[in-house]
Amino acid sequence: LWADSKENLVELALQVLIVTLDEGANQSDGPSDNLFLNYLSRIHREEDFEFMLSGITRLLMNPLVQTYLPGSQRKVNFHQELLILFWKLCEHNRKFMFHVLKSSNVLEVIVPILHYLIDSRADHSKVGLMHIGVFILLLLSGERNFGVRLNKPYTATVPMDIPVFSGSHADLLIIVFHKIITTGHQRLQPLFDCLLTILCNISPYLKSMSMTAACKLIHLVEAFSTPWFLMSNQTNHNLVFFLLEMLNNIIQYQFDGNYNLVYTMIRKRTVFHQLANLPTDCSTMQKNASKKSKKPLTRKSSQIEDESMEGSQPARPAEPGTLKASLMKLPRIENLTEDVSAHPSKKLMDQLTQSLASNSLESGKPIAAVAGSPVQPGADVGRGEAAGSEKVEENEKKDDSSSTADKWVPTPEWISSWKNKMPLQTVMRMLQVLVPQVEKMCIDKGLTDESEILRFLQNGTLVGLLPVPHPILIRRYQANPGTAMWFRTYMW
C-alpha cells in the first residue's frame, strides 16, 4: 500500500545486530570476547528494559492487529528477526528476562509467538520459526514467574486456528501445543520433547484448567500411551513420562482448582489402567507394533468442540517450489536442559554456603559448581558432565538413528526397564479414591448431568490420601554448543 524505506532499514538493522551478537563458532568457555554481547549483558536500567520490551511486543503484535478497515494499517514482516533478538536478550541478560517475567507483559510476547507457531505448523519452510518460538518458551518456562503469569484470563484478541474456549493463557498454551502435535508435519516430531517439557515446567503453578484444555491434555496421554506408538520407537515412552509428571504436579500441588482435569481423568480412567497393565509378552507386543502406521494422532470429536475462532485462517502448507529449510539436528532434551529443584535441599544450601566462603570471598571469582558451570538455586551439581559429552552423545544419536531405526525391535526386557519406573502412583491413588465416590453419587442421585459431579470435585479434597508430595523438578534451559550451532545455521 505504501513504499516505506524505514521498514527495510529496521529489518536490515535487526539482521546486522543479530549477526554482531553471534558468539562465533570457536568461542571457548569463559567470558565472551564479543563486545556487543558484553554491552548487551550489562544493560540494567529499568527504563531501558521497558523501552526494549514495549518495542518488541508492539512490533510482534503489529501483523496480528485487527482493524475495521482492511489495509488501513501498515503490516511489518520481520518477526523472525525480532524473535531471535528477544532470545539473545533473554539468554545473555538475565536481568532483562526477570524484567519480562515480573509482570503480565510477558503475555504480550507469548500470544504472538503462539500465533506464529499455530500458523506455521503445516509449512515445511517455516520449521526454523517453529523451533525459535519453542526455544523461547522453553527458556522462559524455567522460571516460576512464567507459570504464575499464565494464570491470567485470556481474551481472544488474535484469531487463531484453535477451538473456541474460555480460560487462561495456560489453557491457550496447552491447546496450541495439542494442535501442533496432532496436526503438524513430520519434521516437528523432534520438538515434542520440548513442548511437553514446557508443560511440565509450568504445571505446578496452573491454578485452574478449562474443560477444553483438559480434554486436549488427556487426549495426548491417550494417543502417546497406545501400545503401537510406544513400541514404534525407543524413546516414545519418554513422552508419556512427561505427561504423567505434569498430571502428578497438578494433582499434588494444584488439585483444588483443577476439577475439570480431574473429571476428565476419571472419565478416561481406562487409559491409565491400560498403561499400568501394558503387556510385555512377545506375541502381544508384535501385534501392537504391527499397528504402527495405521493410526494418526488426530482426535475424533464433535464438530462443535473443534470449531475454530472466528476470523482465523487454517494453517497452509508451503507453496510448491518453496525451499525447505535445512537446519542442524536438535540436541536431545537432556542436553538442552538441566534439572533444577524448586525446593533446594539443606545439603545443597550447605554446599552453596561453603562454595561462597571458599571461592567467592578469597578469589573474587563468581561462585561456580564443581564441574565449572554456574550455580543456580537448586541446581544439580553433578550434571556438569553433560556439557562435556554433548558432541559424543549427538554423534551416537546420529549413528543410532541411521543404523537402528529400521532394525530395532522392542523386547520384554526393554519394556520392563521403563514400565516399572512410570510415575503412576499418584494418578492411580487419586482414581482409587474418587472413582467409587463419583459412581456412588451418580447411582444414588441418578445423575446424568456433569455439573453436579464437577461441583462435588470442586469441593472435594485429597489431603492425607495421596502419596508424599514429590519435589517440584524444573528443567531449565542451559546453553550448549548444539543450540548455538543451530541458531547460527538458522540466522544465516
Side-chain angles (χ1 to χ4, degrees), residues 102-362:
K102 77 177 184 179
S103 71
S104 297
N105 290 338
V106 65
L107 303 176
E108 296 178 18
V109 178
I110 301 307
V111 171
I113 288 177
L114 292 177
H115 176 272
Y116 292 128
L117 290 180
I118 204 76
D119 196 48
S120 307
R121 71 186 188 279
D123 191 339
H124 287 265
S125 67
K126 294 182 179 178
V127 66
L129 176 59
M130 297 289 296
H131 279 68
I132 179 65
V134 172
F135 280 155
I136 289 174
L137 295 175
L138 179 63
L139 178 65
L140 296 176
S141 72
E143 305 298 331
R144 176 184 177 276
N145 273 356
F146 180 72
V148 173
R149 300 300 169 207
L150 289 175
N151 287 306
K152 185 176 180 180
Y154 174 69
T155 52
T157 55
V158 177
M160 296 191 200
D161 184 22
I162 57 174
V164 179
F165 74 99
S166 175
S168 66
H169 284 77
D171 296 318
L172 174 68
L173 194 76
I174 293 169
I175 293 168
V176 167
F177 284 5
H178 174 271
K179 193 86 170 182
I180 292 170
I181 291 172
T182 56
T183 64
H185 55 77
Q186 291 293 317
R187 293 180 69 191
L188 298 182
Q189 285 194 5
L191 286 176
F192 287 3
D193 279 346
C194 289
L195 295 175
L196 297 187
T197 298
I198 294 165
L199 295 182
C200 276
N201 284 347
I202 67 172
S203 58
Y205 314 112
L206 304 187
K207 293 183 177 178
S208 182
M209 192 181 298
S210 70
M211 185 63 80
T212 305
C215 290
K216 301 298 184 187
L217 187 61
I218 298 304
H219 172 245
L220 290 181
V221 179
E222 188 177 8
F224 286 148
S225 62
T226 51
W228 70 266
F229 183 79
L230 291 171
M231 310 295 173
S232 63
N233 188 283
Q234 280 177 283
T235 58
N236 280 353
H237 64 276
N238 290 330
L239 302 176
V240 178
F241 275 64
F242 282 130
L243 288 166
L244 290 176
E245 182 181 326
M246 180 184 182
L247 295 176
N248 288 342
N249 285 339
I250 292 175
I251 293 169
Q252 289 280 18
Y253 294 102
Q254 298 291 348
F255 176 81
D256 291 344
N258 282 288
Y259 46 88
N260 286 323
L261 177 62
V262 173
Y263 173 71
T264 309
M265 291 173 69
I266 291 174
R267 285 186 57 197
K268 291 285 185 178
R269 57 190 178 277
T270 54
V271 172
F272 301 101
H273 290 301
Q274 289 171 0
L275 196 55
N277 298 313
L278 196 68
T280 56
D281 59 286
C282 293
S283 59
T284 310
M285 284 166 46
Q286 289 173 358
K287 188 188 299 183
N288 290 328
S290 66
K291 302 176 184 177
K292 175 180 176 180
S293 60
K294 296 180 182 178
K295 298 180 182 178
L297 288 178
T298 52
R299 183 171 184 265
K300 294 181 180 178
S301 62
S302 64
Q303 300 228 344
I304 297 175
E305 185 180 352
D306 286 341
E307 185 180 340
S308 295
M309 292 182 178
E310 184 179 354
S312 64
Q313 298 292 328
R316 297 187 182 88
E319 296 290 333
T322 304
L323 178 67
K324 288 188 179 180
S326 178
L327 297 167
M328 294 288 294
K329 184 172 285 189
L330 192 68
R332 297 180 186 179
I333 189 65
E334 57 265 31
N335 292 335
L336 279 174
T337 59
E338 62 177 345
D339 294 345
V340 178
S341 172
H343 310 289
S345 63
K346 185 178 185 300
K347 180 180 177 183
L348 183 62
M349 294 305 293
D350 292 341
Q351 288 177 351
L352 293 177
T353 306
Q354 291 171 6
S355 179
L356 177 63
S358 60
N359 294 340
S360 184
L361 296 180
E362 291 177 10

Side-chain angles (χ1 to χ4, degrees), residues 36-95:
F36 290 94
L37 273 180
N38 262 323
Y39 289 131
L40 180 78
S41 64
R42 292 180 186 179
I43 298 172
H44 62 278
R45 294 194 310 171
E46 288 289 320
E47 51 265 38
D48 293 335
F49 289 154
E50 188 57 39
F51 173 75
M52 291 189 293
L53 180 59
S54 61
I56 289 172
T57 54
R58 177 171 48 84
L59 291 171
L60 280 177
M61 284 296 294
N62 170 270
L64 313 179
V65 172
Q66 302 293 308
T67 60
Y68 288 108
L69 297 174
S72 63
Q73 182 167 324
R74 178 75 178 174
K75 306 288 187 183
V76 296
N77 290 294
F78 41 76
H79 50 273
Q80 295 190 74
E81 289 86 351
L82 282 169
L83 291 177
I84 296 181
L85 177 62
F86 183 78
W87 167 267
K88 293 284 186 183
L89 285 165
C90 289
E91 186 183 22
H92 296 285
N93 192 320
R94 299 285 291 179
K95 290 181 179 177

